[in-house]
Amino acid sequence: MGSLHGLIPFCLVLVLVLSSNHLIAKAHKNSTNQIKVEADFKIIAELAGKNAIPNADFQGLAKLALTKAISNGNAIYHRVNSLLLKTSDMYTTRSLTGCSTNYKDAVGLINKSLAALDAKNYDDAKTCITDALANSTKCEDRFEELLQRNSPFTFMKAKFGLLCLSGLKHINLLVQNERLITEGCSQTLDKELCKSTVVFFLENKGLGLHGLAKLAVKKALQDGTRIHNHISVLLKTTSDQCVLKKLKSCSAFYLTAIEKIKESLPALDCNRYGDASTGVGAAIDSAETCEGVFAGKSNTISPLTPMKIEFSKQVSISLVVIKKLAGN
């Protein structure tokens, strides 16, 4: 097994995940589920010991490198076009014209890789970066072929290449990180809650349990407020009277949810963890009631559902951390 240092932080996350209200409710339905929770914990704790998961922001580092690569690629592109205006040699003109196209395409591909990265299409992101590198190499090859010399952009191209490779490296690390988290959570009773909690913990590792709890609740408050504001917009733009009636009900439910979450913050500050947990739990009940209003007998999907899913996830994380805080 890996070092104790690598094992402790992840084990803490697993305790948080496996002691959430949702999971405990499932686990205590029968003794078999209780044994399953304990077995899951042992398996994942062992996995965590062998594969300590770093908390570096690999996505942010990849985006930084690729943004710099775009800036560098644009600088080369403008330099190429500047030289094109000054040259009269046929082979130099052909080489520069090709390079102009190459770097225009390369910059476009890096922009596409950023969009793919945001969409978590990591294979597409890596393919775009690799193709961008190939375009920069074509420029160098053209100068070698037509003029038997290096291009005037060789050193700039080297920097462009290093930035692209840095982006690729951090995307690969991001993929590895996500795979480790997925594997670690694969046998838990609530896989998505496990993954969300692990990511939240890693992103805010230095806060301590109380700081994590407050941050989680504040994020839930932001999500709930965002939904309530969105409902206000829909109320002004929707003409369907039936939908309007449901939206008005949901507005009241989310206003209640927001108030309950607000009440949980001072409860946390005063170490009244039971009250904090009750307030946050009541918020998710209000959100579920809104979904029920829209579903009705026709089982209609609420226009708020995608936002509600994110809200529910953040509320669940809040409950997990508060539950662990109360048990310390």
Side-chain angles (χ1 to χ4, degrees), residues 80-144:
V80 170
N81 290 339
S82 176
L83 292 176
L84 261 174
L85 297 174
K86 301 173 183 177
T87 188
S88 57
D89 177 74
M90 179 179 67
Y91 291 111
T92 302
T93 298
R94 284 176 58 186
S95 297
L96 289 171
T97 300
C99 285
S100 179
T101 300
N102 293 147
Y103 276 99
K104 181 180 180 181
D105 290 345
V107 169
L109 285 163
I110 299 298
N111 274 309
K112 287 182 179 179
S113 76
L114 283 171
L117 181 57
D118 283 336
K120 295 186 179 296
N121 295 327
Y122 301 129
D123 286 340
D124 290 350
K126 291 192 286 185
T127 298
C128 287
I129 297 169
T130 302
D131 290 348
L133 282 167
N135 270 282
S136 67
T137 300
K138 287 177 184 178
C139 171
E140 296 298 313
D141 291 345
R142 190 172 282 105
F143 267 87
E144 284 285 345

Side-chain angles (χ1 to χ4, degrees), residues 232-247:
S232 298
V233 173
L234 291 177
L235 283 169
K236 295 176 182 177
T237 57
T238 302
S239 56
D240 187 308
Q241 291 301 310
C242 181
V243 174
L244 276 173
K245 184 178 179 180
K246 292 178 179 180
L247 284 171

Side-chain angles (χ1 to χ4, degrees), residues 144-164:
E144 284 285 345
E145 179 184 342
L146 296 177
L147 299 166
Q148 288 76 53
R149 63 181 174 85
N150 291 333
S151 83
F153 327 109
T154 301
F155 290 110
M156 296 176 77
K157 184 262 183 187
K159 182 179 179 182
F160 177 78
L162 287 173
L163 289 167
C164 288

Side-chain angles (χ1 to χ4, degrees), residues 181-201:
I181 293 171
T182 299
E183 289 173 355
C185 293
S186 64
Q187 297 182 55
T188 55
L189 294 178
D190 193 327
K191 298 174 183 61
E192 291 306 313
L193 176 58
C194 174
K195 288 190 282 186
S196 298
T197 307
V198 171
V199 170
F200 177 76
F201 179 85

Side-chain angles (χ1 to χ4, degrees), residues 198-265:
V198 171
V199 170
F200 177 76
F201 179 85
L202 290 172
E203 287 177 347
N204 305 285
K205 200 171 182 179
L207 290 179
L209 277 178
H210 196 274
L212 283 169
K214 287 201 71 172
L215 179 61
V217 172
K218 285 179 179 178
K219 284 181 175 289
L221 179 59
Q222 290 173 355
D223 287 349
T225 302
R226 190 177 299 114
I227 295 174
H228 188 259
N229 290 341
H230 183 60
I231 294 172
S232 298
V233 173
L234 291 177
L235 283 169
K236 295 176 182 177
T237 57
T238 302
S239 56
D240 187 308
Q241 291 301 310
C242 181
V243 174
L244 276 173
K245 184 178 179 180
K246 292 178 179 180
L247 284 171
K248 287 177 181 178
S249 295
C250 283
S251 178
F253 288 131
Y254 272 99
L255 190 59
T256 299
I258 290 167
E259 292 304 316
K260 291 296 182 182
I261 295 173
K262 284 181 178 178
E263 289 172 7
S264 72
L265 285 168

